[in-house]
Each structure stands twice: as structure tokens, then as C-alpha cells.
Amino acid sequence: MAFLPFSWRTVVAGFVLFRAFDVLKPWPASAFDRMKNGFGVVMDDLAAGAFAWGALRGLEVLGVLP
């Protein structure tokens, strides 16, 4: 949620997007998920977070989020 304006819509959208990317696991999150160790688990979540942040930022630029 760094560098994004705080609002409840942003928080809810961020949570939903993070969970969606965490479940869908687009590349490189899927590659990290196959590592089956602690590093892979953490990097998988960081990748999902980065995708969610990018999507939130895009929604902000498009004017969908405040």
C-alpha cells in the first residue's frame, strides 16, 4: 500500500487484488512457488504484492480509485 492514498476502497481493492494474484500466481510468482522452501514462499508473496501494487497504481492513474 506504499505510495498510494489511503481510503477504504483502496484497502479493500488492495486486499482483493493481492489475494487474486496470490491464488493465480502469474510468472514469476509461479516459479517461486515451485521452490518449496522458505525463500520461495516469501518471494511468491512479494511477487503477488508487487502485481497487486501495480494494478492498484494503474487503477489510481485511470481514476477508478481516489
Side-chain angles (χ1 to χ4, degrees):
M1 302 302 294
F3 310 112
L4 292 169
F6 178 81
S7 75
W8 287 109
R9 286 175 46 192
T10 306
V11 170
V12 171
F15 176 76
V16 170
L17 285 169
F18 172 76
R19 291 302 302 149
F21 284 119
D22 194 34
V23 170
L24 295 174
K25 296 195 186 322
W27 188 88
S30 59
F32 291 127
D33 188 51
R34 287 191 295 270
M35 293 177 112
K36 303 298 183 202
N37 58 24
F39 178 77
V41 170
V42 171
M43 292 305 293
D44 166 36
D45 288 339
L46 285 175
F51 281 120
W53 184 86
L56 279 173
R57 187 73 177 109
L59 290 173
E60 182 189 23
V61 168
L62 291 173
V64 176
L65 292 173

